[in-house]
């Protein structure tokens, strides 16, 4: 529900449980004045405190700058007196940087418009609000667009910047959303890590000054994540206030929390302004990515479940949300580059007998690539390895009753490639310096339309040549030396964003031309696991580290925001190839249950007793697949916090079924069994666990007795079913 109260000059955006309120001053400044539990009035304009000194500029023109630096500006602008973190900065053709955005008009409408060239939340039946702000002196109009997703308690915000003058100007900063909060939040939640340990949760204190989480790598990266939440001190997984922001964007980002001189907290999120400078000619418009914002008073878990519902209903392709994803086997950790068609068929043949449904041929099938030193860009099948060609191989795999998937890394060019010999200028590079290598590869220059078309042609041809039902789209280096030999000096600041737009364009074409293709994104594991990529691919490879113990922390952080069905989870070898940890085969499978289950090992070479367990593991996955894909996720305990054990559960929407996953990382000696308090059940219903009957109320308040498991790294999966 979106309303404008014309008397009070207030916009009110209501979801089922929240209200987001903005107000206009007499001059037309737009203030962000309330966000929290749903209220039933627009009579909150007094919270803008425009009657406090310094009054609004109209009443006290001599103190305009003081006003600007106190007012809770909805979309703060740079250079005219608001010295806090801002959202937008424009340099005009005279080199001046300063904006004053004032209200011009608004429009409330019952639909969600798709952003041009960018992923965004879907939802045709939602209500939206456009507020047009302008600075006539600069010649800019800024359209703030909000859409309300009532049932998920989520609001999205995007911004369109229009040059309404005849002269060009440069956008040097354009963030997506901002919240102005009072001092009732004290903590920050953000995600951090590295390759092979992505998205670990960090909780820190809000102090005076600014806290920044960011990426300048051309993608969100392994290190930080385009998400930030601020929360009350007493906020736990089950209750407390939390405000969260997530960005539907797959490039550089910044998210900030700033506590100012008056103890107010401002938080914002958007494209990182460093290495960003967009020239906008008269009459042109620039689309800023969409941010997802939410408030929950139901703690961190409440936030998580809102995000999960929202992503499943409004971001992921509806075709895939409930579709059963095939159990796959990927040959990367099985063979690395050392494979040929016969080896792949051997793996597929063994895998098919065990119930695995798809073979994915990973890196190394094209050009003359036998290591990571060559051939990116040469998307032609290496027939020395794939004897008889791709179709022949795919047909052989299909004849075993298995689907076939393939790996690409389309954004790259190897110096040792036919493509680079022909087009060295297609690599991103400075004009006067040899570009730096990473994994012996360069970034391909996607700001050149001919390059994007070439890459698409190659993908199209390969995918049309055989019955390929899945693509793993990889991206294995950060983007440095960001310059295109094809762009003029004053457009070099556009290269990184143009790269992201081209990536979106390619993935859009791919799913349009191959509507049944299952796309899985990947970036050196999980460096580009974000809402932008999820718009195109319903699943993303979560991390190159499949060690189940490390995965507990990676998956806890990932599932803080993203639905379980979006996480690529595989059972891999032990000792683990990344960290050498030795873990039981069963635990590896139990931890992989809460994702898109698969195997990443040589099934022909693992011990027979492990191989024999695979059919039962697959049956278990299939038994819970629907529940895990569609249910509500609750965290019961966190190994990250307690250093001993981890547990989480998924409850069906009708609260009739649940599954609990419990991993005892470190075994305890001489301890009593634990009372594990379950969550999300119906307190009135009766449930059966292991043939014993309990009420939901007892399970949630008194707890389920979890007996200690003998041995480190042990796991158990517990089924809960209602019996009335
Ligand atoms: C990345 C991926 C891996 C694998 C390799 C292939 O690291 O995350 O899963 O595909 O590339 O080079």
């Amino acid at each position: 529900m979106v309303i404008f109260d014309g008397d009070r000059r207030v916009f009110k955006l209501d979801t089922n449980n929240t209200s987001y309120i903005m107000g206009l001053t007499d001059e037309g400044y737009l203030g962000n004045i309330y966000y929290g539990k749903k209220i039933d009035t627009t009579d909150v304009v007094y919270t803008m405190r425009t009657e406090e000194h310094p009054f609004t500029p109209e009443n006290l023109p001599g103190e305009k700058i003081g006003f600007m630096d106190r007012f809770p500006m909805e979309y703060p602008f740079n250079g005219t007196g608001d010295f806090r973190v801002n959202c937008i900065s424009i340099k005009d053709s005279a080199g001046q940087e300063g904006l004053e955005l004032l209200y011009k008009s608004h429009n409330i409408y019952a639909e969600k418009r798709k952003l041009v060239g960018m992923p965004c939340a879907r939802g045709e039946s939602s209500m939206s609000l456009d507020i047009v702000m302008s600075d006539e002196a600069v010649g800019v109009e800024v359209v703030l667009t909000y859409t309300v997703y009532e049932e998920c308690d989520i609001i999205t915000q995007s911004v369109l910047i229009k040059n309404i003058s005849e002269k060009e100007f440069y956008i040097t900063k354009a963030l997506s959303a901002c919240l102005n909060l009072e001092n009732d939040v004290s903590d920050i939640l953000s995600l951090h890590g590295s390759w092979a340990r992505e998205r670990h949760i960090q909780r820190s204190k809000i102090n005076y000054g600014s806290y920044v989480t960011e990426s300048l790598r051309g993608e969100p990266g392994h290190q930080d994540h385009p998400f930030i939440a601020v929360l009350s001190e007493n906020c736990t997984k089950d209750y407390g206030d939390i405000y969260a922001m997530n960005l539907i964007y797959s490039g550089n980002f910044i998210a900030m929390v700033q506590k100012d001189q008056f103890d107010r907290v401002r938080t914002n999120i958007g494209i990182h302004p460093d290495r960003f400078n967009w020239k906008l000619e008269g009459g042109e418009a620039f689309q800023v990515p969409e941010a997802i914002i939410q408030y929950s008073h139901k703690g961190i878990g409440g936030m998580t479940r809102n995000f999960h519902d929202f992503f499943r209903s409004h971001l992921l392709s509806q075709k895939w949300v409930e579709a059963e994803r095939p159990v796959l086997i990927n040959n990367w950790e099985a063979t690395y580059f050392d494979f040929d068609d016969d080896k792949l068929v051997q793996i597929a043949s063994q895998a098919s007998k065990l119930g695995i449904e798809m073979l994915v041929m990973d890196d190394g099938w094209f050009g003359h690539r036998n290591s990571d030193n060559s051939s990116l860009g040469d998307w032609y099948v290496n027939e020395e390895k794939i004897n008889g060609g791709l179709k022949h191989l795919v047909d052989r795999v299909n004849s075993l009753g298995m689907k076939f998937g393939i790996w690409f890394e389309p954004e790259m060019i190897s110096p040792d490639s036919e493509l680079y010999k022909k087009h060295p200028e297609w690599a991103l590079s400075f004009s006067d310096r040899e570009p730096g290598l990473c994994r012996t590869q360069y970034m391909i220059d996607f700001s050149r339309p001919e390059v994007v078309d070439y890459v698409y042609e190659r993908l199209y041809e390969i995918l049309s040549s055989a019955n390929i039902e899945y693509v793993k789209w990889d991206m294995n280096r950060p983007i440095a030396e960001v310059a295109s030999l094809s762009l003029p000096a004053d457009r070099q600041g556009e290269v990184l964003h143009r790269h992201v737009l081209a990536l979106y364009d390619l993935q859009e074409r791919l799913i349009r031309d191959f509507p049944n293709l299952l796309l899985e994104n990947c970036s050196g594991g999980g460096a580009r696991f974000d809402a932008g990529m999820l718009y195109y691919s319903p699943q993303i490879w979560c991390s190159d580290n499949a060690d189940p113990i490390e995965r507990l922390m990676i998956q806890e952080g990932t599932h803080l925001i993203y639905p379980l069905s979006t996480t690529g989870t595989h059972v891999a070898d032990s000792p683990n190839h990344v960290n050498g940890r030795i873990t039981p085969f069963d635990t590896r499978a139990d931890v992989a249950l809460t994702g898109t289950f698969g195997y990443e090992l040589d099934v022909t070479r693992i011990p027979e007793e492990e191989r024999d367990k695979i059919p039962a593991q697959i049956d278990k996955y299939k038994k819970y697949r629907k529940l895990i894909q569609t249910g509500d996720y609750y965290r019961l305990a966190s190994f990250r916090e307690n250093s001993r054990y981890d547990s989480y559960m998924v409850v069906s929407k009708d609260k009739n079924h649940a599954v609990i996953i419990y991993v005892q990382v470190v075994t305890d000696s001489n301890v009593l069994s634990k009372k594990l308090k379950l969550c999300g059940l119906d307190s009135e219903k009766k449930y059966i666990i292991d043939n014993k009957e309990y009420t939901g109320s007892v399970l949630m308040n008194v707890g389920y007795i979890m007996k200690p498991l003998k041995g480190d790294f042990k796991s158990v999966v517990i089924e809960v079913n209602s019996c009335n």
Side-chain angles (χ1 to χ4, degrees):
M1 169 87 145
V2 179
I3 58 162
F4 177 63
D5 176 339
D7 294 337
R8 296 193 170 108
R9 307 223 321 148
V10 160
F11 298 96
K12 184 162 183 277
L13 284 63
D14 282 344
T15 66
N16 286 354
N17 299 293
T18 71
S19 293
Y20 184 93
I21 303 182
M22 294 169 274
L24 290 167
T25 66
D26 293 344
E27 300 86 345
Y29 297 111
L30 180 66
N32 172 304
I33 55 176
Y34 174 76
Y35 193 23
K37 269 192 194 159
K38 191 169 186 168
I39 55 169
D40 59 7
T41 176
T42 52
D43 188 10
V44 287
V45 183
Y46 65 92
T47 62
M48 284 202 288
R49 283 166 279 190
T50 46
E51 73 286 358
E52 280 175 27
H53 183 81
F55 301 129
T56 59
E58 202 171 82
N59 295 319
L60 194 58
E63 288 300 344
K64 180 175 172 188
I65 304 297
F67 163 81
M68 299 295 252
D69 205 24
R70 285 165 173 76
F71 187 71
M73 212 65 85
E74 169 68 15
Y75 192 64
F77 32 82
N78 183 28
T80 49
D82 183 345
F83 298 106
R84 297 161 289 176
V85 294
N86 55 63
C87 282
I88 182 167
S89 197
I90 287 178
K91 189 178 272 189
D92 66 19
S93 50
Q96 304 165 148
E97 230 167 329
L99 267 184
E100 188 170 17
L101 293 175
L102 296 173
Y103 170 78
K104 196 167 173 183
S105 63
H106 73 269
N107 182 24
I108 296 172
Y109 50 98
E111 65 170 310
K112 166 66 195 257
R113 291 194 196 126
K114 191 176 172 336
L115 304 191
V116 178
M118 305 261 291
C120 64
R122 308 166 205 261
E124 291 66 27
S125 57
S126 333
M127 272 206 114
S128 300
L129 161 69
D130 286 349
I131 305 178
V132 182
M133 310 288 293
S134 72
D135 182 329
E136 303 294 329
V138 174
V140 63
E141 214 172 78
V142 171
V143 186
L144 307 175
T145 298
Y146 302 82
T147 300
V148 173
Y149 294 90
E150 295 186 3
E151 79 293 355
C152 314
D153 286 331
I154 281 200
I155 296 171
T156 57
Q157 183 178 350
S158 63
V159 181
L160 188 70
I161 302 173
K162 294 181 182 168
N163 184 340
I164 52 168
S165 75
E166 272 159 21
K167 284 191 247 152
E168 79 278 2
F169 59 63
Y170 296 86
I171 306 169
T172 57
K173 184 177 191 180
L175 304 195
S176 298
C178 175
L179 293 176
N180 290 275
L181 302 166
E182 301 285 325
N183 58 356
D184 48 5
V185 285
S186 61
D187 292 12
I188 301 170
L189 215 56
S190 49
L191 298 173
H192 305 273
S194 183
W195 174 75
R197 55 179 163 82
E198 297 89 339
R199 289 177 295 287
H200 285 211
I201 298 173
Q202 173 175 284
R203 185 167 179 160
S204 46
K205 285 284 161 209
I206 301 177
N207 291 312
Y208 291 109
S210 298
Y211 172 89
V212 181
T213 177
E214 63 190 334
S215 169
L216 286 167
R217 295 164 190 273
E219 59 173 349
H222 300 97
Q223 293 74 9
D224 286 11
H225 196 74
F227 157 84
I228 196 128
V230 287
L231 47 160
S232 57
E233 190 161 24
N234 64 357
C235 184
T236 67
K237 69 184 180 61
D238 302 313
Y239 59 84
D241 293 322
I242 182 161
Y243 302 83
M245 294 176 132
N246 186 280
L247 193 64
I248 309 181
Y249 189 62
S250 313
N252 285 356
F253 73 89
I254 190 165
M256 291 183 81
V257 178
Q258 185 185 51
K259 183 166 166 175
D260 72 11
Q261 55 183 330
F262 303 116
D263 284 353
R264 291 195 195 163
V265 174
R266 188 178 262 185
T267 167
N268 58 20
I269 196 164
I271 297 183
H272 205 302
D274 285 11
R275 272 159 246 171
F276 174 82
N277 184 53
W278 194 274
K279 181 177 183 180
L280 206 62
E281 302 280 5
E284 284 183 350
F286 178 81
Q287 180 63 60
V288 174
E290 186 165 72
I292 305 163
I293 57 180
Q294 68 152 305
Y295 159 76
S296 172
H297 65 275
K298 293 190 179 147
I300 298 169
M303 172 200 77
T304 291
R305 286 180 290 282
N306 286 345
F307 272 135
H308 287 195
D309 285 343
F310 174 75
F311 284 125
R312 287 186 293 210
S313 327
H314 299 294
L315 187 91
L316 297 175
S317 157
Q318 289 307 295
K319 181 181 161 54
W320 289 107
V321 174
E322 294 199 17
E324 291 178 348
R325 321 278 172 81
V327 175
L328 64 83
I329 185 157
N330 178 304
N331 75 305
W332 177 242
E333 289 199 10
T335 63
Y336 294 102
F337 292 101
D338 185 16
F339 65 89
D340 60 13
D341 53 320
D342 284 340
K343 178 68 202 168
L344 293 176
V345 171
Q346 258 176 35
I347 292 177
S349 160
Q350 181 64 264
S352 68
K353 290 185 199 127
L354 301 167
I356 298 175
E357 298 161 322
M358 178 163 76
L359 174 81
V360 176
M361 177 172 70
D362 211 279
D363 193 358
W365 55 267
F366 51 92
H368 59 277
R369 188 158 165 100
N370 291 312
S371 74
D372 57 14
N373 288 335
S374 82
S375 305
L376 295 166
D378 295 345
W379 302 111
Y380 297 89
V381 178
N382 177 352
E383 296 214 8
E384 279 172 26
K385 270 172 130 169
I386 310 299
N387 204 357
L390 190 56
K391 179 162 183 346
H392 184 59
L393 170 64
V394 177
D395 289 347
R396 286 171 78 191
V397 172
N398 285 168
S399 72
L400 297 165
M402 288 184 87
K403 296 173 189 285
F404 186 89
I406 197 168
W407 178 97
F408 283 101
E409 196 179 355
E411 297 153 77
M412 301 294 156
I413 181 165
S414 300
D416 177 10
S417 66
E418 295 308 312
L419 187 64
Y420 187 73
K421 270 184 217 141
K422 214 164 135 199
H423 287 296
E425 76 285 5
W426 281 13
L428 281 186
S429 82
F430 292 164
S431 52
D432 52 359
R433 197 186 303 166
E434 191 60 18
L437 288 164
C438 184
R439 212 189 187 209
T440 331
Q441 60 203 53
Y442 298 139
M443 290 301 304
I444 207 163
D445 183 355
F446 270 179
S447 64
R448 292 172 179 265
E450 70 275 22
V451 175
V452 181
D453 288 343
Y454 164 83
V455 168
Y456 190 67
E457 264 168 48
R458 294 310 318 137
L459 286 172
Y460 187 90
E461 199 179 307
I462 296 283
L463 294 178
S464 316
S465 71
N467 182 27
I468 298 173
E469 297 179 70
Y470 160 108
V471 163
K472 176 175 172 187
W473 180 304
D474 211 337
M475 196 287 198
N476 278 323
R477 61 157 289 178
I479 315 180
E481 285 141 329
V482 181
S484 166
L485 299 174
S486 72
L487 288 175
D490 64 351
R491 288 199 180 271
Q492 292 296 338
E494 300 176 12
V495 173
L496 281 173
H497 184 60
R498 284 183 186 275
H499 183 90
V500 179
L501 293 180
L503 166 71
Y504 290 153
D505 171 33
L506 281 172
Q507 297 214 345
E508 184 85 49
R509 292 194 220 181
L510 203 60
I511 55 176
R512 179 198 63 204
D513 293 348
F514 301 93
N516 295 322
L517 186 77
L518 173 58
L519 184 60
E520 174 157 348
N521 274 296
C522 171
S523 175
R528 204 163 54 186
F529 198 125
D530 63 75
M533 300 316 285
L534 283 175
Y535 179 85
Y536 303 100
S537 69
Q539 59 194 60
I540 300 181
W541 182 224
C542 193
S543 174
D544 276 343
N545 195 341
D547 162 47
I549 306 308
E550 175 56 45
R551 275 295 181 116
L552 293 176
M553 292 169 288
I554 296 174
Q555 291 176 197
E556 182 187 9
T558 307
H559 296 155
L560 183 72
I561 308 171
Y562 304 104
L564 313 185
S565 64
T566 62
T567 14
T569 49
H570 297 171
V571 180
D573 274 336
S574 174
N576 178 271
H577 291 201
V578 174
N579 63 13
R581 182 150 31 215
I582 297 172
T583 52
F585 197 55
D586 289 338
T587 305
R588 282 177 266 154
D590 286 349
V591 173
L593 274 187
T594 38
T596 61
F597 193 79
Y599 290 83
E600 183 133 351
L601 37 72
D602 186 345
V603 77
T604 66
R605 295 221 304 241
I606 56 172
E608 204 175 327
E609 65 272 21
E610 291 189 353
R611 195 163 41 237
D612 290 347
K613 286 182 168 180
I614 291 180
Q617 291 178 343
I618 293 176
D619 285 350
K620 198 193 235 179
Y621 169 67
K622 288 188 173 168
K623 185 171 180 197
Y624 300 122
R625 172 161 58 184
K626 192 113 221 144
L627 172 60
I628 285 167
Q629 244 170 307
T630 58
D632 289 332
Y633 164 80
Y634 290 86
R635 189 135 273 276
L636 305 181
S638 162
F639 164 60
R640 178 183 54 85
E641 286 171 359
N642 64 34
S643 308
R644 305 203 79 71
Y645 68 103
D646 205 73
S647 188
Y648 39 94
M649 67 186 285
V650 184
V651 184
S652 64
K653 289 279 178 194
D654 63 9
K655 297 188 183 291
N656 283 334
H657 306 283
V659 62
I660 304 166
I661 289 118
Y662 180 93
V663 182
Q664 182 174 282
V665 182
V666 181
T667 194
D668 288 314
S669 304
N670 189 26
V671 286
L672 294 176
S673 46
K674 287 186 184 62
K675 279 201 271 183
L676 200 60
K677 289 188 185 171
L678 307 192
C679 295
L681 302 174
D682 181 335
S683 38
E684 304 296 317
K685 280 189 176 158
K686 289 194 179 128
Y687 292 93
I688 304 264
I689 307 181
D690 294 335
N691 299 319
K692 184 170 160 34
E693 195 177 298
Y694 309 80
T695 63
S697 167
V698 163
L699 287 171
M700 292 193 292
N701 294 303
V702 183
Y704 167 77
I705 293 296
M706 192 52 235
K707 298 210 180 73
L709 305 174
K710 285 215 172 93
D712 291 346
F713 313 137
K714 288 289 165 54
S715 63
V716 60
V717 173
I718 301 160
E719 188 172 322
V720 185
N721 289 306
S722 79
C723 52
N724 58 348

